[in-house]
Amino acid sequence: MTLPRLVVAAPSTGQGKTTVATGLMAAFRAAGHRVSGHKVGPDYIDPGYHALATGRPGRNLDPHLVGEERIVPLLLHAAATPTPADVAVVEGVMGLHDGRLGTDGFASTAHVATLTATPVVLVLDVARLSRSAGAIAAGMAGYDPAVTVAGVVLNRAGSDRNTAEVARSLERTGLPVLGVLPRDDRLAAPSRHLGLVPAAERPASARTVELLGEQVARHLDLGALLDVARTAPALDAEPWDPSAEVRPPSTRRPVVAVAGGRAFTFRYAETEELLRAAGCDVVPFDPLTETLPADTCGIYLGGGFPEVYAAELAANTRLLGELREAVAAGVPTVAECAGLLYLARSLDAHPMAGAVPADAAMAARLTLRYPEAVAPADTLLTRVGERVTGHEFHRTRTTPEAGGAPAWEIDGVATGFASATSHASYLHVHWAGHPHLAQRFADAVHAAPRPPVTPHRPAPVGRRVGTAAAPPDDPLRHHGDVETGDGLLDFAVNVYDGPRPAWLDRALQDSLQEAAAYPDAGPARAALARHHGRRPEEVLPTAGAAEAFTLVARLRPWRCPVVVHPQFTEPHAALEQAGHDVTTVLCRAEDGFALDPAAVPEHADLVVVGNPTNPTGVLHPAERVRALRRPGRLVVVDEAFMDTVPGQTASLAGEVLDGLLVVRSLTKHWSIPGIRAGYVVGDPSEVGRLAALQTPWSVSTPAIAAMVACSGAAATAAAGERAATLAEWRHVLEDGLRRRGIRFVPSAASFVVARLGDGAHAALRERGVAVRRADTFPGLDGSWVRIAVRPPARTADLLAALDAALDAALDTARPLQSDH
């Protein structure tokens, strides 16, 4: 298999490998290439920056963790997922030839470069070097004949005179200078006790990566570097396939809750892929602000920096209680490093879950090792005597270090805590190298009983909370804006409740200077394409999502168009308006409104589905949405609220798939519903057909300006902050509903659908609160309402009105109860 590729290495750590490798990934991507990013070794932090630069998961290549035989298959898998990459960039570890101690360079950058037959680009920090740079480069190039050093990048260059001296010294080596990066303190990433601060923890990470890309594109010879990558020979191997490593033990799709957010940033992408291949639905959650996802049957707590967020983790007492109860009840649970600390009784004196009988605290000495571990007993993951390879990297200690049933023995010393249903230790294990661990965890998750349904307090039978409003004349055209009015608190419209960013207001104001000319959507198309790592012909700006649905309805004489409900009704209405008979497929409340691809008729030639879905807020796993695809079928995914999902997990906007279109909207997240700004991204042939139907100049100049502004680095950082804020506000609302015993659907979006009982919509309105009636959504009735997420102070007003309405209903019902 042909894959252009190169390794970015250095003589030692601290030379600038991450700067050059990440910047090169960003620069290649900005130039229109699809880039696959890789890191030699077990490190989690650098792949986080690689993911920002490439728009796809960062991957690790570590022979110690996964075995030499899996390195090339994993490289090819990553380069093909989610779409084929044009080039792979591999960032090395430490010095080029530095590997596991005592092994003659095993698991070094040179080892991986040899296994993958990949040319090496050497980074030299020349801030304090001149002619010695040539000697160093010559030594690195000649040390191992199996390693091909193809060129040199000079980093942190100073004066032109010294740089010229360095370049002359390299002429004797025959190694070309492929670029010279000047000193630039803006390119430095902050660090802490275990290295760089993870990308997910830094609001400015996206801007830093963008700046790296700009600097690399300005100072390095991208064409020459691509030529180096293209010298890599074809690889004679098949890509790694998670479905060949594990199997689904049942037809269920049990939920595995995976810790994420700022405190839990460390996990390998292949772990989630293995769990999905084993028939599990992987649902991320943020322990800082959220609780366990609905229907959790298994829990995976990976690595991170819980010690930095100990106070915030301790403040989420409800989640700590849920974890403690889940582990005690036998919910299969795996915890690595940070996960172990989170399950302990305390962390630096802050109370944690108390599911593991140990206390944790920061220590004076760093633990960094690359061990082989032995299973001392049969546990959730292991069988006695089995051996695995892993790594440890932490500056905390637990007291005691092991339980009565340890998780591992390392160098003859027991460590960690384990049982038949739980496994917690400091050791990080790459499950791609030990897929039987993933299979055992999945087997236990599939065998776990379904969690109980959240209880709710319905309105008393025979009495209504209030008088139900008359049904609208056209339910499919009923939207939340008609629910609001003077004197009403607005919980009906899903627009972000906060001011627009100053940079967006400036862009809108400046766009008025161009109002005298006809609008040109080209800049918006280019900006959106860069934002998603797509080609311009794969993107079509539209006058909001509504225009996109109208274009889809007119695209073909659909024989069997399907709309998956309950969801935003505009696509259904547009199809009917275009003269089509629409088939409705309902997601059921008893299944948590989960998507079942098998429920869609095989002969359907158009399927429209929301993700996350309005009004339920359910985030469907990406693989379920992909499963809707068939030859001759167009799948349209409404991702209007994907911006509200931290990390935009499950989005398909960056995937190149035949027969798939994604519709996005900027109006809700950026508080600009009056600026009709949306777009379609996907299959270029379908995008081209939509463009041919579009009315000329349908997208206004202000909308174009908004699209350009909301696709830049400042917007990327701000969007993430807004999503995190919405998650915190949503937690307050859901917690309030839960404490009142009200049934609701756990949401991933900026709204929550709740079952308050018949007449609750009108009763809240009588008390000055507007919520969105839900009986206009196919599949829901008058007992449901949709509640927009608002700041906690306003949510308190909603909950007070809800209490008053429920109390009034109970008071009305008491005479009936006393008669019995």
Side-chain angles (χ1 to χ4, degrees):
M1 182 177 296
T2 301
L3 173 65
R5 58 195 183 275
L6 58 82
V7 168
V8 177
S12 67
T13 192
Q15 298 277 311
K17 294 189 301 294
T18 300
T19 296
V20 173
T22 307
L24 189 56
M25 294 174 197
F28 278 154
R29 184 187 183 193
H33 302 289
R34 295 192 177 94
V35 187
S36 184
H38 307 260
K39 172 69 179 181
V40 176
D43 176 49
Y44 294 97
I45 297 178
D46 291 342
Y49 288 92
H50 298 171
L52 283 178
T54 65
R56 52 205 286 159
R59 307 279 184 159
N60 296 73
L61 299 173
D62 190 319
H64 170 72
L65 294 182
V66 302
E68 292 178 295
E69 71 282 3
R70 290 188 178 90
I71 294 301
V72 170
L74 284 170
L75 170 66
L76 294 176
H77 165 72
T81 307
T83 55
D86 302 317
V87 62
V89 177
V90 182
E91 179 188 342
V93 63
M94 300 186 293
L96 174 58
H97 297 282
D98 301 330
R100 190 181 181 204
L101 294 178
T103 63
D104 294 328
F106 188 87
S108 66
T109 303
H111 186 195
V112 171
T114 302
L115 289 173
T116 60
T118 302
V120 172
V121 172
L122 195 67
V123 178
L124 291 178
D125 183 340
V126 295
R128 295 178 176 85
L129 283 178
S130 58
R131 287 185 55 77
S132 294
I136 293 171
M140 300 299 289
Y143 183 76
D144 184 350
V147 178
T148 301
V149 177
V152 179
V153 169
L154 306 182
N155 187 33
R156 299 183 68 233
S159 68
D160 291 342
R161 183 179 179 186
N162 188 65
T163 300
E165 185 76 3
V166 171
R168 282 194 297 273
S169 76
L170 287 165
E171 290 176 359
R172 296 178 57 182
T173 70
L175 297 174
V177 176
L178 301 172
V180 179
L181 274 176
R183 297 178 189 174
D184 189 340
D185 292 338
R186 295 176 301 165
L187 304 184
S191 62
R192 62 162 67 111
H193 55 275
L194 295 183
L196 295 180
V197 176
E201 295 188 48
R202 297 182 58 212
S205 294
R207 177 54 188 153
T208 298
V209 169
E210 185 177 47
L211 179 61
L212 286 174
E214 293 169 355
Q215 289 290 82
V216 164
R218 183 176 299 117
H219 296 288
L220 270 61
D221 188 339
L222 295 186
L225 285 160
L226 270 177
D227 289 341
V228 167
R230 289 169 179 150
T231 65
L235 294 168
D236 184 17
E238 291 296 319
W240 180 78
D241 180 1
S243 63
E245 305 284 347
V246 294
R247 56 171 180 76
S250 77
T251 57
R252 292 177 57 198
R253 296 292 303 185
V255 169
V256 173
V258 176
R262 290 171 292 153
F264 291 87
T265 55
F266 300 177
R267 61 183 182 274
Y268 296 116
E270 292 83 358
T271 296
E272 295 186 15
E273 290 171 339
L274 284 165
L275 290 176
R276 293 189 183 100
C280 300
D281 278 347
V282 176
V283 180
F285 72 103
D286 186 348
L288 292 175
T289 59
E290 297 177 320
T291 56
L292 288 177
D295 299 329
T296 293
C297 292
I299 301 169
Y300 181 90
L301 307 172
F305 287 108
E307 62 270 27
V308 176
Y309 299 97
E312 292 173 70
L313 290 169
N316 192 354
T317 56
R318 191 162 63 80
L319 176 57
L320 293 175
E322 288 182 352
L323 283 170
R324 183 167 53 251
E325 293 172 4
V327 174
V331 174
T333 301
V334 173
E336 291 188 343
C337 202
L340 165 65
L341 306 182
Y342 191 41
L343 291 183
R345 290 183 298 237
S346 66
L347 173 56
D348 284 339
H350 294 283
M352 294 289 115
V356 166
D359 296 283
M362 292 293 290
R365 187 170 64 87
L366 171 68
T367 296
L368 173 58
R369 57 181 175 177
Y370 226 24
E372 183 179 78
V374 180
D378 291 355
T379 69
L380 169 67
L381 295 184
T382 65
R383 299 298 177 262
V384 62
E386 288 180 339
R387 295 177 177 271
V388 301
T389 51
H391 77 102
E392 288 189 26
F393 191 37
H394 55 92
R395 201 185 286 274
T396 58
R397 290 286 185 277
T398 64
T399 306
E401 293 186 359
W408 304 108
E409 283 185 2
I410 299 177
D411 297 330
V413 177
T415 182
F417 306 79
S419 72
T421 58
S422 65
H423 198 278
S425 77
Y426 275 117
L427 190 70
H428 291 284
V429 180
H430 199 316
W431 283 4
H434 307 279
H436 59 282
L437 303 183
Q439 184 68 67
R440 286 175 187 152
F441 181 54
D443 288 345
V445 171
H446 277 263
R450 290 182 180 272
V453 178
T454 303
H456 69 284
R457 180 175 66 179
V461 176
R463 296 285 180 173
R464 293 196 172 192
V465 178
T467 303
D473 294 334
D474 186 356
L476 294 179
R477 296 289 190 183
H478 181 83
H479 300 300
D481 58 320
V482 302
E483 306 265 12
T484 61
D486 292 340
L488 291 173
L489 289 175
D490 178 12
F491 284 84
V493 178
N494 297 321
V495 174
Y496 181 87
D497 192 359
R500 287 185 298 276
W503 49 262
L504 178 53
D505 275 344
R506 285 195 300 271
L508 293 173
Q509 289 287 342
D510 292 346
S511 73
L512 298 179
Q513 303 300 318
E514 309 296 327
Y518 284 98
D520 174 13
R525 173 175 273 191
L528 292 165
R530 285 194 302 270
H531 180 65
H532 289 292
R534 309 293 293 255
R535 300 191 303 272
E537 58 266 29
E538 296 172 324
V539 179
L540 178 66
T542 59
E547 185 192 21
F549 296 131
T550 299
L551 294 174
V552 169
R554 296 168 49 209
L555 188 60
R556 286 199 273 278
W558 303 110
R559 301 182 308 278
C560 180
V562 168
V563 178
V564 180
H565 281 294
Q567 78 154 39
F568 183 53
T569 53
E570 196 62 39
H572 193 135
L575 284 163
E576 288 191 347
Q577 188 175 35
H580 303 295
D581 293 327
V582 179
T583 297
T584 295
V585 170
L586 292 180
C587 298
R588 302 183 304 168
E590 55 266 35
D591 295 331
F593 295 104
L595 172 66
D596 180 8
V600 176
E602 280 294 323
H603 61 283
D605 54 348
L606 171 68
V607 180
V608 183
V609 62
N611 202 32
T613 300
N614 175 14
T616 64
V618 171
L619 183 66
H620 304 301
E623 62 269 19
R624 287 201 183 184
V625 180
R626 291 191 204 99
L628 293 170
R629 298 169 60 235
R630 299 284 189 280
R633 174 187 292 179
L634 178 64
V635 176
V636 178
V637 187
D638 177 6
E639 291 190 1
F641 290 96
M642 189 60 77
D643 283 337
T644 68
V645 179
Q648 298 195 27
T649 55
S651 174
L652 297 180
E655 297 194 14
V656 180
L657 297 171
D658 292 341
L660 180 83
L661 295 177
V662 172
V663 178
R664 300 290 290 259
S665 171
L666 304 178
T667 60
K668 304 293 196 302
H669 203 54
W670 297 111
S671 309
I672 52 171
I675 306 292
R676 306 307 301 149
Y679 58 96
V680 181
V681 58
D683 185 331
S685 60
E686 301 291 357
V687 169
R689 294 184 184 100
L690 292 179
L693 293 173
Q694 192 175 36
T695 302
W697 311 299
S698 66
V699 182
S700 70
T701 298
I704 293 167
M707 294 178 200
V708 173
C710 293
S711 299
T716 300
E721 292 170 0
R722 287 193 167 212
T725 298
L726 284 168
E728 294 171 1
W729 294 353
R730 187 175 64 243
H731 169 72
V732 173
L733 172 59
E734 292 184 339
D735 187 56
L737 296 173
R738 184 179 290 106
R739 285 187 283 107
R740 287 159 176 80
I742 293 170
R743 181 182 179 186
F744 66 90
V745 180
S747 173
S750 55
F751 45 81
V752 176
V753 67
R755 195 165 201 171
L756 303 184
D758 288 340
H761 172 269
L764 287 172
R765 194 173 185 85
E766 291 171 3
R767 288 163 176 80
V769 176
V771 294
R772 168 67 156 90
R773 65 186 299 164
D775 58 350
T776 62
F777 295 101
L780 297 179
D781 58 29
S783 66
W784 295 87
V785 298
R786 190 192 70 194
I787 307 170
V789 169
R790 296 288 186 254
R794 295 188 64 191
T795 300
D797 293 334
L798 164 79
L799 295 172
L802 182 57
D803 286 338
L806 291 173
D807 288 343
L810 291 172
D811 288 340
T812 304
R814 285 187 185 111
L816 289 177
Q817 295 166 350
S818 64
D819 288 341
H820 288 278

